[in-house]
């Protein structure tokens, strides 16, 4: 038997080609696209403007992939919600909904687990399982919309995994989610966050993608950065900063540097001075994130230290934001996403 086409793995152009191959009129592609990504339906029978005969054809030759939440954990303090998904092969991933005033940010995973081994991150401790497929990324957004009953204003690829080690799928997923006739999340409201895979940053720059880019910097010396983030041994700071600078020059966009503040490790006045020197000349924003407990070896910098650090780098004239921890109480804050394999047995897929 021929395997059915997974419609959610197709970009709009590919859907058009697929529709063409069935002998149907091109406008069917727009109709189906709108059902999938605007109306967010998960059954062909819901496509009410499509003739029953073509619905049957679709049913026989294609399918609509969908994800259902296995578990939702909510924080009453911040209204942040963490959603656990089970993939077809039994692996688990998580997404987070972060409301903030009028902003509704969806944070999605790009890999199951992560290979990068950052010492402060809970996902790293799981190890790497696999790259997510395009439809597994887009469905995190669509399914959150269906289950939370809201649409995102912003999308960040800051969940589990390293987006730039799943480059092609990530770009395809964003092409789909950005499409104006579908989910239509504006490119200025989409941020890819990388730990610093330099060749991928260079490729991203060359290909001139419109989404915002963030780099997890987290240290001001190679020694400290390599001890926290093994990726730094392969792509040390000067190489990384050169790639970041080239990106800003080519894209005419600021780049965001995320900086997780860990007490006495990367939060000293010397660190602030070095950071100033490093970032001078790079159009950027700096996002200081209080370290969220995941590893007993590290402690979060106290607020006084974080504010002093922010003040010390103020002359950079880069906007500095402090990320208040959203979802720390439900282990949904930065670096706290981790799923345990054992949980598969506790949870029934239909729950
Ligand atoms: N792999 C990508 C995206 C996932 S991490 C990357 O490295 O950018 C998203 C952000 O969370 C990164 O900036 C990372 O430095 C930060 N982070 C990881 N663990 C954290 C923790 N325990 N507390 C606070 N921030 C953390």
């Amino acid at each position: 038997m021929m395997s059915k086409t997974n419609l959610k793995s197709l970009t709009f152009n590919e859907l058009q080609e697929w529709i063409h191959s069935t002998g149907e009129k091109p406008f069917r592609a727009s109709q189906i696209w709108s059902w999938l990504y605007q109306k967010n339906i998960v059954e062909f029978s819901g496509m009410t403007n499509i003739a029953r005969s073509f619905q049957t054809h679709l049913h026989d030759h294609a399918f609509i992939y969908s994800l259902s939440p296995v578990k939702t954990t909510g924080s009453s303090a911040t209204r942040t919600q963490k959603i656990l998904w089970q993939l077809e092969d039994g692996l688990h991933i998580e997404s987070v909904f972060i409301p903030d005033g009028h902003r509704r940010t969806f944070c999605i995973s790009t890999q199951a687990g992560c290979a990068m081994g950052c010492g402060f991150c809970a996902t790293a401790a799981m190890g790497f399982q696999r790259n997510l497929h395009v439809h597994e990324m887009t469905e995190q957004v669509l399914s959150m919309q269906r289950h939370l009953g809201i649409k995102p204003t912003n999308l960040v690829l800051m969940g589990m995994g390293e987006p730039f080690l799943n480059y092609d799928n990530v770009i395809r997923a964003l092409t789909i989610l950005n499409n104006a006739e579908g989910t239509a999340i504006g490119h200025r409201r989409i941020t890819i966050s990388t730990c610093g895979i330099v060749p991928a940053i260079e490729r991203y720059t060359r290909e001139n993608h419109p989404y915002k880019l963030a780099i997890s910097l987290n240290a001001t010396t190679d020694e400290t950065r390599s001890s926290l983030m093994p990726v730094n041994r392969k792509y040390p700071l000067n190489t990384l900063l050169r790639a970041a600078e080239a990106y800003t020059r080519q894209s005419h966009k600021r780049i965001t540097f995320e900086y997780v503040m860990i007490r006495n490790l990367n939060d000293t006045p010397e660190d602030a001075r070095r950071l100033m020197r490093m970032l001078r000349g790079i159009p950027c924003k700096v996002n200081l994130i209080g370290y969220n407990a995941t590893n007993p070896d590290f402690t979060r910098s106290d607020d006084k230290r974080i504010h002093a650090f922010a003040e010390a780098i103020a002359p950079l004239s880069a906007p500095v934001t402090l990320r208040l921890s959203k979802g720390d109480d439900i282990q949904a804050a930065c670096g706290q996403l981790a799923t345990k394999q054992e949980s598969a047995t506790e949870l029934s897929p239909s729950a």
Side-chain angles (χ1 to χ4, degrees), residues 261-262 267 288-291 300-312 320-323:
M261 306 266 325
I262 305 175
D267 68 346
L288 302 177
I289 311 170
Y291 168 68
R300 178 195 200 115
S301 310
D302 58 42
D303 287 359
K304 217 172 113 213
R305 214 13 118 70
I306 299 179
H307 283 105
F309 195 91
E311 223 156 89
V320 177
T321 49
L322 309 184
R323 197 183 294 170

Side-chain angles (χ1 to χ4, degrees), residues 120-121 159 161-162 193-195 216 218 258 260 291-292 294 334-335:
F120 48 83
C121 178
E162 169 47 46
S193 177
T194 178
C195 64
S216 300
N218 299 343
E258 294 159 283
V260 179
Y291 168 68
N292 298 308
T294 60
C334 299

